[in-house]
């Protein structure tokens, strides 16, 4: 088996640079919801020692000193660029697994060609067609492909591609001895300190460990990682993404919310978003959980955090029914006198819609009419933009006082006609 992992370098920052080339070579960060924390860093920012997740307010002095440019998250742009990236990769392998918004596994087994050249062709095509820089790692297992990608990304001498399957064992040993065990997929912070205490500090140390001993001392999952480092596949390539077992929609508010009506708007909007995702994967929900909380980082304010799960007797994907259940739950847990910082919903007890038993007593005409309504609503939102049509109680998009702050968001260049770039001759 030969597997490649293709990964976009500094994905969010790279997406911003595609439409603003003047950002090349400059320190750039992308911030989380409400412009709170750093969720993406350019190489120049990483060189300054800025960690992932660092609150933006703590970086203001450093930003002024080094000219760090900060952008609000532009999720519509990043998602669309990701879709275009994945579409290109599908032409380079018959079997791919989309692992995340910026990572994809490709099955290259049976290819009768130089895989390094093939990987360089991938890099060139992605850069030419969508402007994103990528690195490619190739290995006989998914874990080795991830590790090879790490080498390709961190070491410029590999020119963005590292193929462990064509590498002499001695060179691979040397590389493994120079890579911290914490960099290995499946290890991270969770096991790093414990492994270090046992004298396992590098990828080479972990590869040479006895899998049975690792399983007995740690977990079956880490034991599989050791086997994968030795070229024994334990993690299959998943060509079709599995349906989610839970669907969540949740956001922090742009400013504190106290009134029940504002909370009701937020919960309604989240219920509608979650229901749309539910229908997209062909599932129905048997319950909906509602949660609200105040800001734990303001200990002087009255604190309150509560959630409730509302069962749905007849599982559904109907936005109106799910919203009604969510608001019933919100009414039970809401307490006045608090400044709420976040609200959200989670759909639980999911099952496939086509496996729903037929209700002999159901009004099939009403069921069909509501189903057509949901399809129409989804089609309109797909064509004209998210939240174009939805429950009226969620409020008007431009009039929600609680909407998250995105003070420095770039245009949705690829998904909104009104925000297309304009070229002047």
């Amino acid at each position: 088996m030969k597997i490649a992992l293709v990964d976009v370098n500094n994905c969010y920052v790279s997406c911003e640079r595609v439409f603003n080339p003047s950002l090349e070579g400059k320190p750039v960060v992308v911030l989380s919801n409400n412009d709170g924390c750093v969720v993406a860093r350019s190489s120049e920012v990483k060189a300054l020692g800025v960690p992932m997740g660092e609150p933006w307010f703590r970086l203001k002095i450093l930003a002024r000193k080094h000219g760090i440019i900060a952008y609000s998250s532009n999720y519509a742009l990043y998602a669309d660029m990701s879709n275009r990236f994945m579409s290109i990769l599908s032409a380079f392998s018959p079997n791919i697994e989309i692992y995340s918004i910026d990572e994809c596994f490709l099955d290259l087994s049976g290819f009768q060609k130089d895989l390094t050249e093939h990987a360089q062709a991938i890099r060139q095509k992605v850069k030419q067609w969508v402007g994103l820089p990528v690195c490619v790692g190739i290995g006989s297992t998914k874990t080795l492909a991830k590790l090879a990608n790490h080498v390709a990304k961190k070491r410029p001498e590999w020119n963005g591609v590292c193929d462990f399957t064509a590498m002499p064992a001695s060179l691979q040993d040397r590389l493994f001895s120079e890579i911290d065990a914490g960099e290995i997929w499946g290890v991270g912070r969770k096991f790093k300190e414990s492994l270090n205490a046992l004298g396992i500090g590098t990828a080479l140390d972990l590869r040479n460990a006895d899998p049975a001993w690792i399983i007995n001392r740690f977990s079956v999952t880490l034991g599989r990682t050791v086997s994968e480092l030795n070229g024994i596949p334990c993690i299959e390539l998943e060509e079709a993404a599995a349906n989610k077992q839970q669907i969540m929609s949740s956001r922090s508010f742009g400013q504190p919310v106290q009134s029940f009506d504002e909370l009701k708007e937020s919960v309604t909007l989240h219920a509608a978003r979650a229901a749309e995702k539910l229908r997209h994967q062909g599932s129905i929900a048997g319950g909906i959980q509602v949660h609200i909380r105040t800001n734990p980082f303001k200990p002087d304010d009255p604190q309150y955090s509560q959630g409730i799960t509302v069962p749905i007797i007849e599982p559904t994907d109907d936005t109106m029914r799910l919203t009604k259940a969510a608001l019933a739950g919100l009414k039970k847990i809401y307490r006045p006198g608090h400044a709420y910082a976040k609200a959200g919903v989670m759909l639980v007890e999911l099952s496939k819609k086509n496996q729903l038993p037929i209700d002999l007593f159901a009004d099939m005409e009403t069921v069909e009419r509501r189903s057509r309504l949901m399809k129409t609503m989804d089609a309109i939102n797909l064509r004209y933009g998210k939240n174009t049509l939805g429950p009226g109680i969620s409020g008007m998009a431009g009039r929600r006082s609680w909407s998250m702050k995105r003070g420095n968001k770039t245009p949705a260049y690829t998904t909104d006609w009104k925000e297309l770039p304009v070229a002047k001759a």
Side-chain angles (χ1 to χ4, degrees):
M1 178 177 287
K2 294 183 179 180
I3 296 175
L5 177 69
V6 187
D7 178 25
V8 180
N9 301 339
N10 310 321
C11 182
Y12 291 178
V13 171
S14 293
C15 288
E16 298 289 354
R17 283 173 166 172
V18 169
F19 295 93
N20 187 357
S22 67
L23 296 175
E24 291 289 346
K26 295 180 180 178
V28 181
V29 297
V30 174
L31 304 176
S32 63
N33 295 333
N34 293 310
D35 295 343
C37 301
V38 173
V39 294
R41 304 160 295 164
S42 68
S43 300
E44 295 79 12
V45 172
K46 293 177 184 178
L48 294 174
V50 176
M52 185 70 83
E54 183 74 0
W56 175 239
F57 74 88
R58 292 180 183 170
L59 295 174
K60 294 296 179 66
I61 296 177
L62 188 70
R64 284 195 295 268
K65 181 179 179 181
H66 295 281
I68 298 176
I69 302 167
Y71 286 105
S72 305
S73 296
N74 189 341
Y75 298 120
L77 175 65
Y78 309 149
D80 186 67
M81 294 292 282
S82 173
N83 292 336
R84 296 173 188 227
F85 162 60
M86 300 302 176
S87 177
I88 294 170
L89 296 185
S90 64
F92 285 89
S93 171
N95 304 318
I96 69 172
E97 176 192 337
I98 298 175
Y99 181 66
S100 67
I101 192 171
D102 61 346
E103 294 178 282
C104 186
F105 287 104
L106 281 67
D107 186 357
L108 302 182
S109 303
F111 277 48
Q112 302 300 318
K113 59 174 66 177
D114 186 303
L115 295 185
T116 296
E117 289 184 5
H118 190 62
Q120 289 293 356
I122 292 174
R123 297 184 69 230
Q124 189 274 334
K125 185 68 71 176
V126 172
K127 183 66 174 176
Q128 179 184 1
W129 284 18
V130 293
L132 296 174
V134 303
C135 285
V136 184
I138 303 170
S140 55
T141 67
K142 291 173 78 172
T143 301
L144 285 172
K146 287 277 282 187
L147 199 59
N149 185 277
H150 172 80
V151 173
K153 184 177 290 187
K154 298 296 183 181
R155 304 193 177 213
E157 63 267 28
W158 291 92
N159 194 26
V161 175
C162 178
D163 181 5
F164 281 162
T165 67
M167 184 179 295
S170 58
L171 177 56
Q172 190 174 110
D173 287 351
R174 181 173 66 80
L175 286 173
F176 276 37
S177 69
E178 297 170 355
I179 300 173
D180 191 283
E183 298 290 348
I184 299 171
W185 189 37
V187 178
R189 298 177 183 175
K190 184 177 181 180
F191 295 119
K192 177 181 176 179
E193 291 184 5
S194 299
L195 288 170
N196 289 349
L198 296 170
I200 299 175
T202 67
L204 183 63
D205 295 334
L206 187 59
R207 191 195 69 183
N208 293 338
D210 179 8
W213 179 79
I214 290 291
I215 290 172
N216 183 60
R217 193 71 186 250
F218 294 94
S219 69
V220 172
T221 300
L222 192 58
R224 289 174 181 164
T225 298
V226 175
S227 295
E228 287 243 330
L229 287 173
N230 283 280
I232 303 171
C234 299
I235 308 172
E236 297 295 328
L237 195 73
E238 299 177 11
E239 297 176 33
N243 282 350
K244 295 179 180 178
Q245 299 303 305
Q246 297 174 329
I247 294 177
M248 176 179 285
S249 179
S250 179
R251 286 285 186 275
S252 298
F253 299 131
Q255 62 183 39
V257 166
Q258 292 193 348
S259 76
F260 179 77
D261 286 342
E262 288 180 305
L263 279 177
K264 192 162 60 172
E265 285 185 358
S266 173
V267 168
T268 299
L269 183 64
H270 288 309
R273 286 175 175 171
E276 187 172 342
K277 295 177 184 178
L278 184 72
R279 291 190 292 273
H280 181 71
Q281 72 172 35
S283 298
I284 50 177
I288 185 167
Q289 183 187 93
V290 186
H291 56 271
I292 54 176
R293 69 164 173 80
T294 54
N295 190 344
F297 298 104
K298 293 186 176 181
D300 294 335
D301 292 351
Q303 295 295 307
Y304 179 71
S305 178
Q306 189 58 270
I308 187 173
T309 300
V310 181
I312 299 172
I313 298 175
E314 296 179 5
T316 185
D317 63 0
D318 189 305
T319 294
M320 307 309 173
R321 289 185 59 197
L322 292 169
T323 299
K324 184 177 180 180
L327 294 181
L330 176 65
K331 191 173 182 179
K332 289 183 179 180
I333 63 175
Y334 171 72
R335 298 291 182 273
H338 294 281
Y340 293 97
K342 188 174 185 178
V345 305
M346 182 166 65
L347 301 180
V348 297
E349 298 181 31
L350 306 190
S351 57
K352 293 183 178 179
K353 186 175 183 178
N354 58 14
Q355 295 178 353
L356 181 68
I358 298 175
D359 184 354
L360 297 177
F361 302 99
D363 182 349
M364 295 309 297
E365 183 178 346
T366 300
V367 171
E368 284 297 320
R369 187 169 65 250
R370 294 303 289 265
S371 179
R372 289 196 300 270
L373 174 62
M374 294 301 107
K375 289 180 180 178
T376 301
M377 187 164 64
D378 291 345
I380 290 173
N381 288 332
L382 179 63
R383 180 172 181 178
Y384 295 105
K386 187 170 60 176
N387 303 323
T388 298
L389 189 64
I393 201 170
S394 63
M396 297 293 289
R399 301 177 184 175
R400 299 174 187 136
S401 62
W402 45 267
S403 294
M404 67 177 178
K405 296 177 182 176
R406 290 196 288 178
N408 199 23
K409 186 183 81 67
T410 51
Y413 296 108
T414 63
T415 57
D416 190 330
W417 286 105
K418 297 188 295 294
E419 298 185 12
L420 283 175
V422 177
K424 298 180 179 180

